[in-house]
Amino acid sequence: MQQSSAVRKPQYDLERFEQHTPAITRVPKKEHIIHPVKILFAAVLLVGMISVMLYGRVQITELGQQINAVTAQLDELNSEKVRMETEMEGMMSLKAVEEISVGEYGMVKPDASQVTYLQVQQNRVEAADTEETWLEKALSFLEKLGISF
């Protein structure tokens, strides 16, 4: 029996699956030489970063000193304010006012002969006469005519 041309047995290349031992070749190690420009760039970058950090620390220290100086000045001004308020309260007391008025201005307390009493009538109400303005007169005239606003 012959096989028809339509049905054929496939042919496989089995050599691909055979185990071959690869040849090992040694590659010489490449020496890593760092270029001097890279070293210089890294050094400049490192010095720049350290400089920025130190400058920031200096700024923080200076601002801290300024804050401390202003805080001390504020404390001093607050204590001066308290002292002046206390002094003002002492000057405004009735006893201090009386001493100054008697001592510096020669004032004396009034005696009974200097006091005059007045009697005022109560329940007396006086109404002031008010004149009608020209606008009020015009409005009342218009109301008499029957026109109202």
Side-chain angles (χ1 to χ4, degrees), residues 29 48 60 108 115 139:
K29 279 190 176 180
I60 290 172
V108 292
V115 177
L139 287 174

Side-chain angles (χ1 to χ4, degrees), residues 9 16 21 44 49-50 76 90 123:
K9 271 188 164 178
R16 297 173 86 184
T21 56
V44 169
M49 289 175 52
I50 291 172
E76 182 180 330
N123 298 332

Side-chain angles (χ1 to χ4, degrees), residues 71-104:
T71 304
Q73 186 179 11
L74 179 65
D75 291 341
E76 182 180 330
L77 290 174
N78 280 336
S79 65
E80 179 71 14
K81 176 187 170 215
V82 169
R83 184 193 64 78
M84 291 177 112
E85 285 176 347
T86 305
E87 184 180 333
M88 184 181 72
E89 287 174 3
M91 293 175 112
M92 296 302 289
S93 69
L94 291 177
K95 186 174 181 180
V97 170
E98 183 179 351
E99 288 176 3
I100 292 172
S101 62
V102 171
E104 289 184 25

Side-chain angles (χ1 to χ4, degrees), residues 110-140:
D111 59 357
S113 65
Q114 295 175 325
V115 177
T116 305
Y117 295 99
L118 298 176
Q119 287 187 346
V120 179
Q121 281 185 343
Q122 295 188 4
N123 298 332
R124 182 176 169 193
V125 178
E126 291 185 25
D129 292 331
T130 58
E131 290 188 27
E132 210 174 2
T133 64
W134 66 270
L135 181 62
E136 291 172 342
K137 288 179 184 178
L139 287 174
S140 66

Side-chain angles (χ1 to χ4, degrees), residues 5-42:
S5 65
V7 178
R8 275 192 186 166
K9 271 188 164 178
Q11 292 182 348
Y12 297 108
D13 184 17
L14 297 177
E15 289 180 7
R16 297 173 86 184
F17 298 106
E18 292 179 9
Q19 293 196 1
H20 295 287
T21 56
I24 299 173
T25 58
R26 295 209 180 248
V27 178
K29 279 190 176 180
K30 184 178 178 183
E31 292 185 30
H32 294 289
I33 299 174
I34 300 175
H35 200 274
V37 173
K38 290 182 182 179
I39 294 173
L40 181 64
F41 179 72

